[in-house]
Amino acid sequence: MDSITREGCKLVLNEVYEGNIKGFLERAEQFFALMPDPDTGRELSEHSPLYASAEVENAETQKQS
């Protein structure tokens, strides 16, 4: 929220702000454009506790094919 509300916004209460909605949306779009693609896979370390879960998931996917 701080990144998106840094300019042209005033805090009303908690995470409620007033200000220029166009500027708010532009900053939000810029901020989220920097985020990585959530569909991009990531290789797991052999030491990761998620490794076993990934093996189970892959086995189930192969069974369904």
Side-chain angles (χ1 to χ4, degrees):
M1 286 303 285
D2 289 340
S3 178
I4 297 169
T5 59
R6 71 183 183 274
E7 295 175 1
C9 295
K10 293 180 182 177
L11 178 64
V12 176
L13 180 66
N14 296 334
E15 291 189 3
V16 177
Y17 293 86
E18 64 181 10
N20 180 331
I21 191 70
K22 185 176 179 182
F24 179 87
L25 293 173
E26 287 172 0
R27 286 187 297 278
E29 288 175 7
Q30 291 171 358
F31 177 80
F32 287 110
L34 297 173
M35 297 293 168
D37 182 355
D39 295 327
T40 301
R42 180 171 300 262
E43 185 176 352
L44 290 176
S45 163
E46 64 183 82
H47 305 290
S48 171
L50 298 174
Y51 194 80
S53 296
E55 286 179 343
V56 170
E57 229 176 82
N58 288 337
E60 288 177 3
T61 302
Q62 288 177 357
K63 285 180 188 177
Q64 293 175 359
S65 297

